[in-house]
Amino acid sequence: MLKTIPLVALIRVEAVQPSLHDNTADLDRLKAALTESLPAQLRSCSVHIPFACIVEIAASFRAADFTGYVIVHYEHDHLVLVDFVAEPPKSLPVLALDLGSTHLEATLLDCLTGDTLARGAALNRQVTHGADILTRIHFAERKDEGGKGLALLQEAVIVSINGLLDELCQEAEVKAQDVQAVAVSGNTTMVHLLLGISPRHICREPYIPLVNAPDPFLAQEIGLKLHKQATVRVLPGRGSYFGGDLISGILATGLDQAEETCMLIDVGTNAEVVMGNSEWLIACAGAAGPALEGGVARMGMRAASGAVEHVAIDRNTWQLDWRSINETPPLGLCGSGLIDLVAELYLARIVDLRGKFQSTFPGQPAAQRRFVKEHLLEMGGEQVFLVVAAGEAGNAEPVVLSQLDLDAMMRSKAAMYAILVTLINQVGLEFSDLARIAVAGAFGKHIDPQQAITLGMLPDLPLTTFEPVGNSSLRGAEMILLDHTAFARSLEIARKITYIELNVNQEFMIRFSGSRFIPHTDPELFPSVPSFR
């Protein structure tokens, strides 16, 4: 059962019957009865009834003989009374949505119990107009397509959300028109496209979005097919590259309420990092994600079925083992698989500290030489490392790592570490001062922190410091719906954050250059990692 008051609540009311001695109007009577029945935390809230609901609510209230249940939505300092029913409904559904650039993930929650009624994911149909954020920003500006690039992108995501909502409602056996509210967590560009407002200035200096914190609005205003009074709350962002998805992560991990200094890392299209505690928060974001999300590496892919997520090389027997997600035929390498592979190749001395393939080195064992001969091959005029041969596990194509893939990986890992160092230097701390590092998303779910440390992507800290937290973006959106105070808390988080713009940060560029080696140009920063120099 819920221990908090949700954004949408069901409250029983029992009003005094009207009489010749009490000529209070029906809706005034209902408001008075509701105010008397409110929990103490809401007693100071005024009650509003939308004009569109007046006739239906008044008729239902009188038909039920002035006793029944009201459905109210919490709106900052007042309550919106949207419905009156004689009998309590079985559930009070609301929708939490993680608005991803490639995929949408959502949960249908019950505000009566806090239970999850259904959970699912769907492709964001905007991908037909551009696989990445920058392409979509440019598509939104197009004057062909009847000058409707932006409208097409908005329509695509609305159709995707409505389709996913229908699937969840069917699974939960509820009607879409009974869904009372939506909380949306997404990056700044995705929010602009959802709202149908131009993202043009997000990618142009000085990188200022049109809006960071949209006020709540009716779902029907953008074409979402829910209850006619259902509202949409979009988690606030803090900058062009620091959106509501990371604010959501801060909510989900409780970083803004932590007594000790902690860090949150979320790697997706960008690497977004925030650090702080209950007294202060500092954050930045940068392009460290593409190679880990399948956006750069030729064999790269998202952490989905068929992605190789784990690779190990036994340096005694020189056997290579791998595992794909759901143990299906391998299609490519996701971020964790790529990190595992490159770390293992470095420890096996098949990749040198510059991130370059090497087939021989002084003192090379014969067994290692044979292993290299079997796996380090020429394909299509380039040198590649063969992870899975074609047909080896039901796969039509071989899974390989090329030098171009390696170069992209080296840039991503360098950017990741440079972001972390730049951020922690802003406040004069050391990595050892961090009590916890929460790693969010698919990256956090699948990554082996030790392998990321080997590459010099994450700081060399005890492994217990790192905590995978799953989809914190979605979890934060769920909290907005299940706790009526959480949205105000998210706004306060956004106000509290000091945001560092890396696009013009000279220290970041210096740190980036120093991080383009395995594990680093300064191996003393990574005492647990062998140095082959």
Side-chain angles (χ1 to χ4, degrees):
M1 293 295 292
L2 277 172
K3 296 181 179 179
T4 56
I5 298 174
L7 194 68
V8 179
L10 182 75
I11 300 173
R12 177 173 169 77
V13 295
E14 187 170 347
V16 176
Q17 294 276 347
S19 68
L20 291 174
H21 304 289
D22 180 1
N23 63 355
T24 304
D26 286 3
L27 293 184
D28 294 332
R29 187 180 303 275
L30 177 58
K31 286 181 180 181
L34 171 60
T35 300
E36 290 179 3
S37 303
L38 289 174
Q41 302 96 310
L42 301 179
R43 197 68 59 83
S44 63
C45 294
S46 60
V47 178
H48 297 181
I49 301 178
F51 176 75
C53 302
I54 287 178
V55 173
E56 187 175 341
I57 288 175
S60 299
F61 183 48
R62 183 168 282 270
D65 206 20
F66 306 99
T67 298
Y69 299 83
V70 296
I71 297 173
V72 293
H73 296 179
Y74 178 77
E75 295 281 355
H76 181 51
D77 59 354
H78 66 275
L79 299 175
V80 181
L81 199 167
V82 301
D83 212 347
F84 179 93
V85 291
E87 299 295 333
K90 293 181 179 179
S91 63
L92 208 54
V94 290
L95 181 72
L97 176 67
D98 175 22
L99 184 62
S101 58
T102 305
H103 289 89
L104 311 176
E105 189 169 350
T107 49
L108 199 63
L109 305 171
D110 182 4
C111 278
L112 294 181
T113 63
D115 293 340
T116 298
L117 300 174
R119 182 177 186 133
L123 182 71
N124 184 339
R125 299 189 187 192
Q126 288 180 343
V127 296
T128 61
H129 304 302
D132 58 81
I133 292 294
L134 191 58
T135 303
R136 290 183 211 174
I137 291 176
H138 292 317
F139 183 86
E141 300 173 4
R142 286 173 60 169
K143 299 305 179 185
D144 53 355
E145 306 286 351
K148 297 180 180 179
L150 180 58
L152 289 172
L153 287 166
Q154 184 187 29
E155 180 185 16
V157 72
I158 294 299
V159 169
S160 302
I161 296 171
N162 283 332
L164 178 56
L165 174 64
D166 286 342
E167 292 177 12
L168 297 179
C169 287
Q170 185 173 358
E171 179 183 340
E173 297 182 346
V174 300
K175 296 177 181 178
Q177 58 264 35
D178 290 335
V179 177
Q180 298 283 334
V182 185
V184 179
S185 173
N187 69 50
T188 306
T189 299
M190 292 307 302
V191 167
H192 277 57
L193 298 179
L194 173 70
L195 303 183
I197 58 180
S198 174
R200 170 182 171 80
H201 301 288
I202 287 175
C203 65
R204 292 174 171 85
E205 196 172 341
Y207 315 108
I208 306 299
L210 293 186
V211 63
N212 272 326
D215 292 322
F217 57 91
L218 291 177
Q220 64 182 4
E221 292 183 87
I222 58 171
L224 293 178
K225 298 177 181 178
L226 294 83
H227 188 281
K228 62 184 180 181
Q229 291 298 318
T231 53
V232 179
R233 278 168 178 73
V234 178
L235 276 102
R238 184 61 182 81
S240 290
Y241 300 102
F242 191 101
D245 47 354
L246 196 54
I247 300 292
S248 199
I250 295 170
L251 266 180
T253 57
L255 188 62
D256 62 310
Q257 298 177 335
E259 294 184 4
E260 298 180 286
T261 302
C262 302
M263 180 180 281
L264 169 65
I265 301 172
D266 191 353
V267 179
T269 304
N270 293 308
E272 300 164 328
V273 184
V274 61
M275 179 176 64
N277 51 43
S278 59
E279 297 181 0
W280 56 270
L281 294 168
I282 186 170
C284 63
L292 307 177
E293 279 253 310
V296 176
R298 183 181 65 180
M299 294 299 300
M301 61 181 291
R302 292 174 60 86
S305 185
V308 174
E309 63 172 339
H310 171 69
V311 179
I313 297 174
D314 188 320
R315 293 186 294 281
N316 292 315
T317 64
W318 291 103
Q319 295 293 315
L320 184 147
D321 292 316
W322 56 270
R323 182 179 68 242
S324 66
I325 295 176
N326 296 331
E327 299 184 352
T328 54
L331 301 174
L333 294 157
C334 67
S336 62
L338 191 59
I339 291 168
D340 268 9
L341 176 58
V342 179
E344 290 289 289
L345 291 176
Y346 170 74
L347 294 174
R349 303 191 67 179
I350 299 169
V351 165
D352 66 16
L353 59 87
R354 302 168 303 155
K356 303 297 182 182
F357 285 126
Q358 61 177 10
S359 56
T360 60
F361 58 86
Q364 182 181 29
Q368 199 261 16
R369 190 178 297 113
R370 288 191 296 271
F371 178 81
V372 171
K373 188 175 181 180
E374 292 174 3
H375 289 273
L376 199 56
L377 310 172
E378 290 285 332
M379 283 189 183
E382 63 177 337
Q383 194 174 38
V384 302
F385 183 86
L386 179 65
V387 182
V388 188
E392 178 183 330
N395 51 309
E397 299 292 332
V399 176
V400 301
L401 178 75
S402 72
Q403 185 61 59
L404 288 176
D405 297 334
L406 257 178
D407 293 343
M409 177 66 200
M410 292 296 290
R411 290 191 297 271
S412 284
K413 85 95 184 172
M416 181 78 256
Y417 190 72
I419 290 169
L420 300 182
V421 174
T422 301
L423 190 63
I424 205 160
N425 282 351
Q426 293 289 322
V427 290
L429 295 178
E430 302 289 338
F431 285 122
S432 57
D433 295 321
L434 298 175
R436 177 175 64 118
I437 298 179
V439 190
F443 179 75
K445 179 180 179 181
H446 297 280
I447 190 178
D448 180 343
Q450 183 58 64
Q451 300 288 52
I453 291 170
T454 297
L455 288 184
M457 174 176 277
L458 293 178
D460 198 344
L461 296 171
L463 297 183
T464 52
T465 307
F466 302 94
E467 178 189 352
V469 293
N471 190 342
S472 60
S473 174
L474 182 61
R475 178 59 191 146
E478 293 173 344
M479 290 176 65
I480 294 294
L481 297 166
L482 297 179
D483 182 349
H484 74 289
T485 66
F487 188 66
R489 182 178 152 197
S490 74
L491 294 172
E492 179 57 31
I493 290 171
R495 285 190 290 267
K496 183 178 178 180
I497 290 174
T498 299
Y499 180 66
I500 306 300
E501 183 58 74
L502 292 182
N503 288 319
V504 292
N505 189 290
Q506 191 61 38
E507 181 186 354
F508 169 73
M509 297 309 300
I510 295 171
R511 300 290 181 185
F512 175 73
S513 298
S515 303
R516 292 184 68 173
F517 292 83
I518 301 176
H520 195 272
T521 50
D522 181 3
E524 292 186 4
L525 294 172
F526 294 87
S528 73
V529 180
S531 178
F532 305 114
R533 292 174 183 264

